[in-house]
């Protein structure tokens, strides 16, 4: 297992941008698919998007397409979530997660089993 630590959250006005980082420990990070999830107050955790380990294919949920971009730097063992055109409804705790290379990394039923502690993103109107 790799250990994950998110950073980069904060308070931003609607229309602004943030870049979240997820730093992973462990030399085998390149063999893990990586995903981002979020959980707003009173709501269930929801899948945001992910990037594969093998060819860096990307998957984004419809509600963030055109606004959020996931990338990874295996040399730095870090995954990023660039968030542009933020909306108040994007307010949530954002989590990164990993799934081993042979596990399902996109919906339905993605198989992520390793999580960071989360970072708060607050978008004011």
């Amino acid at each position: 297992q790799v250990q994950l630590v998110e950073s980069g959250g904060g308070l931003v006005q609607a229309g602004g941008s943030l870049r979240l980082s997820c730093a992973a420990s462990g030399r085998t990070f390149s063999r893990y698919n990586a995903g981002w999830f979020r959980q707003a107050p009173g709501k269930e955790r929801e899948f945001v998007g992910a990037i594969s380990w093998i060819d860096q294919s990307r998957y984004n949920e419809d509600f963030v397409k055109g606004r959020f971009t996931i990338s990874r730097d295996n040399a730095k063992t870090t995954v990023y979530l660039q968030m542009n055109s933020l909306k108040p409804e994007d307010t949530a705790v954002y989590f990164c997660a990993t799934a081993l290379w042979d596990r399902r990394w996109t919906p339905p039923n993605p198989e992520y089993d390793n999580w960071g502690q989360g970072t708060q993103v607050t978008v004011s109107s």
Side-chain angles (χ1 to χ4, degrees), residues 13-36:
Q13 288 188 334
S17 298
L18 283 174
R19 187 176 82 156
L20 306 184
S21 299
C22 174
S25 64
R27 291 176 292 178
T28 60
F29 173 72
S30 62
R31 299 190 70 201
Y32 284 83
N33 301 302
W36 285 95

Side-chain angles (χ1 to χ4, degrees), residues 15-120:
S17 298
L18 283 174
R19 187 176 82 156
L20 306 184
S21 299
C22 174
S25 64
R27 291 176 292 178
T28 60
F29 173 72
S30 62
R31 299 190 70 201
Y32 284 83
N33 301 302
W36 285 95
F37 293 74
R38 69 185 187 184
Q39 187 166 19
K43 295 186 177 181
E44 293 189 353
R45 185 174 59 196
E46 64 179 351
F47 182 78
V48 174
I51 186 166
S52 75
W53 77 279
I54 190 168
D55 60 1
Q56 302 206 11
S57 297
R58 294 173 177 82
Y59 177 94
N60 289 317
E61 290 289 37
D62 287 344
F63 58 81
V64 299
K65 282 182 178 177
R67 300 191 299 126
F68 292 9
T69 302
I70 295 173
S71 61
R72 67 190 292 166
D73 184 335
N74 286 337
K76 296 182 178 179
T77 64
T78 302
V79 180
Y80 304 97
L81 179 65
Q82 177 66 46
M83 305 186 294
N84 299 326
S85 302
L86 282 161
K87 305 174 181 179
E89 52 263 44
D90 293 320
T91 295
V93 178
Y94 284 72
F95 300 88
C96 68
T98 57
L100 198 56
W101 65 275
D102 60 347
R103 301 295 172 84
R104 187 172 183 83
W105 62 282
T106 59
N109 304 317
E111 297 175 300
Y112 292 89
D113 60 358
N114 188 36
W115 299 83
Q117 84 290 349
T119 186
Q120 176 71 46

